[in-house]
Amino acid sequence: MRKISTLAMALVMSAAALQAQTVAQFDTLQLPGTDTFYVNYSAPGTDVGFEDGLAHFETVYDTTFGYSSLRKGFVYSNVKDSVTTSYTIPNSAKPGEGFGGTNQYAVGFGFEESISVTLKGTARGKMVKGFYATNTTYAHNAMRDGYLVAKKFGGVPNVDSDWFKITVKGFLNDTLTADSIDFYLADLRDADSTKDYIIKTWEWVDLTPLGKVDSLTFLVSTSDVGQFGANTPLYFCMDNLITSYIPEGVATIASYVAKIYPNPATDKLFVEVNDASIKEITVASISGSIVGRFNATDKVTSINTANFAPGIYLVQMTGTNGTASVRFVKQ
C-alpha cells in the first residue's frame, strides 16, 4: 500500500508541476486590427512593456528626435508581410505568420544594447526551456539582397564570412547563471558555401543550458558594422517562449511516473511509463482537442508525430492512481 500511495502522490504532484509550465504565445494580446503591432507612447524613456505567459517583455519608446519610435525592447505583432524590404515595415516575420500558423508573435529590437524579459510568479527561479526564433522580413531581405547601408551577406562574389545572431544570457538574483547562448539567424562563415544560410522559418532555440533564471537578456549583433554601428537591421522574431520548465519531461517526486523524449519531437515521440496501471495515453493540442489515443501495452510506447501540426501538445497518462500530464513541442 505504501508503494501505491507514494505513486499516487507522485502522479498528482507531477501533473501539477508539469502543467505549471507556461508558454508566452502572444496570441491573446489585443491589437487594433490586422497588420498592426503594439504601440505605447504613454511614457517615453521608461519601460511600458507587456506580459504574457508569466513573463514581462521590456518595451521602451523614445521621443529624443522629435517623433516617437521604439528605442529598444519587444512589441507583439500580427503583420504578415513576408515580401517587402523596408524600414517602414520592421515588425513582420519572414514566414508571414507566427509559429505553427498563428496570427501573432513578438519582435525584439535593440540597437547594440541588450533587451530583457523578466519572469514572474511561479516561473521565477526555474528553467526556461526555450523559444522559436526567425528573422523579420526587413532583416532577412536586407541580408539577402543588401538594403540602404546594409550589405548583401556574402558579398559579390559570395566569399565574405558574414553572420547575424542573438546572444541570450540568464540571470538569477542579478548573477549571470552560465555562459551565454548564441543563436545564428544568418551564418555564412563556413568555407563550404553550401552550408551558408539566412533563416526564414521558425527554428527552436534551446535555453536549458542557462539553468534556473529569473530574467533573460537578448543582444542582437552582426558582422556588418560601419562608422555608426551595425548596418544590418537589429530585429528578430520570437514565439512560444516556454518557462517553468521541468527538464526532459521527467516527473521526479518519489520516483518518475513517466518521461517523454525527444522533446521537441519531429517524427517520433516515445513515452516511457513507470506505473503498470497506466493503460491509455492521450495526446491533445494546447487548445484541448484530442489528436490521438494510444494503448500503453509496453513500458515504452512509440507515437508517430510526423503528421502533427507544429505546436505544443499535452500527453496525458491515465491509470488507477490518477492522471499525469506532460507537455511536448512538435517541430
Side-chain angles (χ1 to χ4, degrees):
M1 291 300 294
R2 174 180 293 272
K3 181 178 180 181
I4 294 175
S5 298
T6 301
L7 189 53
M9 182 179 293
L11 278 163
V12 174
M13 295 179 69
S14 297
L18 288 164
Q19 291 183 41
Q21 181 171 290
T22 57
V23 186
Q25 295 178 292
F26 313 107
D27 294 319
T28 60
L29 300 175
Q30 296 299 307
L31 287 171
T34 58
D35 289 322
T36 58
F37 55 90
Y38 174 68
V39 177
N40 187 342
Y41 298 147
S42 62
T46 63
D47 181 10
V48 291
F50 55 92
E51 296 173 357
D52 194 32
L54 290 181
H56 174 85
F57 296 82
E58 174 189 29
T59 311
V60 180
Y61 281 91
D62 203 351
T63 57
T64 301
F65 299 103
Y67 58 90
S68 297
S69 61
L70 180 65
R71 193 185 88 193
K72 68 170 186 173
F74 294 88
V75 301
Y76 52 92
S77 171
N78 63 16
V79 183
K80 297 184 179 299
D81 189 333
S82 62
V83 177
T84 307
T85 309
S86 175
Y87 66 88
T88 63
I89 311 176
N91 297 316
S92 182
K94 181 61 180 176
E97 59 188 5
F99 172 73
T102 59
N103 287 325
Q104 295 185 184
Y105 49 89
V107 179
F109 168 74
F111 189 75
E112 300 179 333
E113 62 178 320
S114 294
I115 56 179
S116 66
V117 172
T118 304
L119 304 186
K120 298 180 59 189
T122 57
R124 291 182 64 83
K126 294 186 175 64
M127 295 179 71
V128 175
K129 185 171 185 179
F131 66 99
Y132 283 91
T134 192
N135 277 301
T136 61
T137 302
Y138 178 30
H140 176 277
N141 292 359
M143 291 184 285
R144 182 193 64 191
D145 306 321
Y147 178 70
L148 301 178
V149 297
K151 66 172 290 190
K152 171 183 169 65
F153 268 31
V156 181
N158 183 23
V159 295
D160 295 347
S161 299
D162 293 310
W163 52 265
F164 182 59
K165 69 179 180 180
I166 312 165
T167 299
V168 189
K169 296 182 180 181
F171 295 84
L172 184 63
N173 298 322
D174 296 322
T175 300
L176 189 66
T177 60
D179 290 339
S180 59
I181 292 173
D182 286 335
F183 178 79
Y184 284 84
L185 291 161
D187 193 350
L188 287 76
R189 297 174 299 162
D190 200 289
D192 182 356
S193 63
T194 63
K195 296 180 180 179
D196 294 347
Y197 64 84
I198 302 173
I199 286 177
K200 58 181 179 180
T201 56
W202 288 102
E203 302 295 337
W204 180 250
V205 183
D206 181 12
L207 298 185
T208 56
L210 298 179
K212 296 179 179 179
V213 300
D214 55 29
S215 65
L216 302 166
T217 63
F218 300 78
L219 177 67
V220 193
S221 58
T222 177
S223 59
D224 182 14
V225 179
Q227 179 181 357
F228 301 104
N231 292 326
T232 310
L234 297 179
Y235 294 84
F236 73 97
C237 296
M238 168 192 289
D239 209 351
N240 286 20
L241 175 71
I242 301 177
T243 61
S244 304
Y245 173 59
I246 297 175
E248 299 177 0
V250 182
T252 54
I253 305 299
S255 60
Y256 80 81
V257 175
K259 62 182 178 181
I260 63 172
Y261 53 89
N263 192 3
T266 50
D267 297 331
K268 291 285 187 181
L269 180 76
F270 298 95
V271 181
E272 180 179 322
V273 300
N274 194 33
D275 177 3
S277 75
I278 294 176
K279 300 301 182 184
E280 183 180 69
I281 299 170
T282 302
V283 180
S285 68
I286 195 68
S287 64
S289 301
I290 303 298
V291 297
R293 298 183 187 274
F294 308 89
N295 294 323
T297 55
D298 299 315
K299 185 176 178 64
V300 179
T301 300
S302 174
I303 296 175
N304 185 351
T305 59
N307 294 325
F308 287 13
I312 300 173
Y313 292 82
L314 188 68
V315 177
Q316 295 182 320
M317 296 148 286
T318 303
T320 57
N321 294 315
T323 298
S325 302
V326 182
R327 294 190 187 203
F328 77 94
V329 175
K330 166 61 169 66
Q331 290 184 327

